[in-house]
Amino acid sequence: MSGRTKARREAVRLRMTTIGIIGAGFIGSQVARAAITAGYDVVISNSRGPETLSDLVAELGPKATAATSKEAGAAGDFVVVTVPLKAYEAVPVEELAGKIVIDTNNYYFERDGHIAALDEGKDTVSEMLQRHLPTSRVAKGFNHIKADDITTDGKPAGTPDRRALATSSDFDDASALVEKLYDEIGFDTVNVGPLKDSWRVERDQPAYVIAQTKLELIDNLAKATR
């Protein structure tokens, strides 16, 4: 990648100041809290309508706005999708076109029902979302950390034993954006590679929901089996 290309991508990332969040559950609300602390504005939505988010938005303060999923998708310079896998096809497509989308999802057959391609290791959760959003650039993020840890475990860059989180994408700029966001809220990053390898950091794998440094995360990713 040329220096000019890197500079252009960095300039684009620096202009990204508003995050659309589709899903206001444990992960979505914690990402909103961390992002606001890092200086972002957030537009947050859920499946029940913006009027049900009044208490959360009041807590988050003036940098937060409640909206519908389509409105949150349209408003975000980039978007975090954090809905149950069984609901991923309800994520708006047009409003997310051309945008980086961070997918926090995991597959829980107890909640989502059995999906043969996932059970058989022929697909990944984030590849499914990428196909649903063909004009977006999907990156995995925030899927292997407990929600509460998002706002409590972050540390400044360079801190010994700083916790690391993984990302994965088929697009370099999407991975780079997740890395930037992780760093801003206090985490190192390990890039797993393309979405087809994102299973290495999903449920029941060694790297799933444990606190680990960058070197420990790299080691745990290598231990993953399918």
Side-chain angles (χ1 to χ4, degrees):
M1 185 187 303
S2 70
R4 182 175 298 178
T5 300
K6 289 181 179 179
R8 278 201 304 269
R9 288 183 175 175
E10 181 62 20
V12 168
R13 290 197 296 274
L14 289 173
R15 291 197 298 270
M16 291 184 176
T17 60
T18 300
I19 306 176
I21 300 179
I22 298 176
F26 295 121
I27 295 291
S29 59
Q30 287 293 83
V31 170
R33 293 181 180 100
I36 287 171
T37 299
Y40 289 91
D41 295 315
V42 301
V43 181
I44 191 166
S45 66
N46 65 10
S47 61
R48 295 176 294 143
E51 66 280 358
T52 66
L53 295 171
S54 57
D55 289 345
L56 176 61
V57 168
E59 177 211 325
L60 293 173
K63 294 182 75 65
T65 304
T68 66
S69 295
K70 288 185 176 182
E71 290 168 342
D77 296 315
F78 63 99
V79 180
V80 176
V81 170
T82 178
V83 300
L85 178 60
K86 63 183 179 181
Y88 83 96
E89 290 181 316
V91 173
V93 176
E94 182 179 350
E95 289 77 9
L96 276 58
K99 298 184 180 183
I100 293 171
V101 175
I102 302 174
D103 174 32
T104 78
N105 217 335
N106 290 295
Y107 170 46
Y108 300 104
F109 65 84
E110 303 91 339
R111 175 196 66 189
D112 302 314
H114 279 283
I115 300 172
L118 296 178
D119 290 338
E120 296 167 7
K122 296 177 180 178
D123 207 351
T124 68
V125 169
S126 291
E127 285 180 299
M128 291 171 62
L129 183 63
Q130 180 67 81
R131 287 194 296 273
H132 175 67
L133 301 174
T135 55
S136 302
R137 303 188 302 286
V138 173
K140 197 78 171 178
F142 296 105
N143 77 296
H144 70 115
I145 181 172
K146 293 179 180 178
D148 289 348
D149 292 352
I150 293 171
T151 55
T152 59
D153 279 15
K155 297 177 181 178
T159 302
D161 298 327
R162 192 189 200 204
R163 185 168 179 173
L165 299 175
T167 190
S168 179
S169 182
D170 296 337
F171 300 92
D172 290 344
D173 61 338
S175 296
L177 179 64
V178 176
E179 181 174 358
K180 178 176 182 288
L181 180 60
Y182 280 168
D183 185 58
E184 289 169 337
I185 66 173
F187 299 94
D188 285 339
T189 304
V190 174
N191 190 331
V192 179
L195 292 179
K196 67 182 179 65
D197 293 330
S198 60
W199 62 270
R200 291 183 175 276
V201 74
E202 291 185 343
R203 178 189 182 183
D204 297 331
Q205 296 297 341
Y208 188 66
V209 296
I210 65 168
Q212 54 209 311
T213 65
K214 191 168 186 175
L215 290 177
E216 289 168 340
L217 177 51
I218 291 170
D219 185 53
N220 283 329
L221 290 168
K223 293 176 181 176
T225 57
R226 204 172 195 183

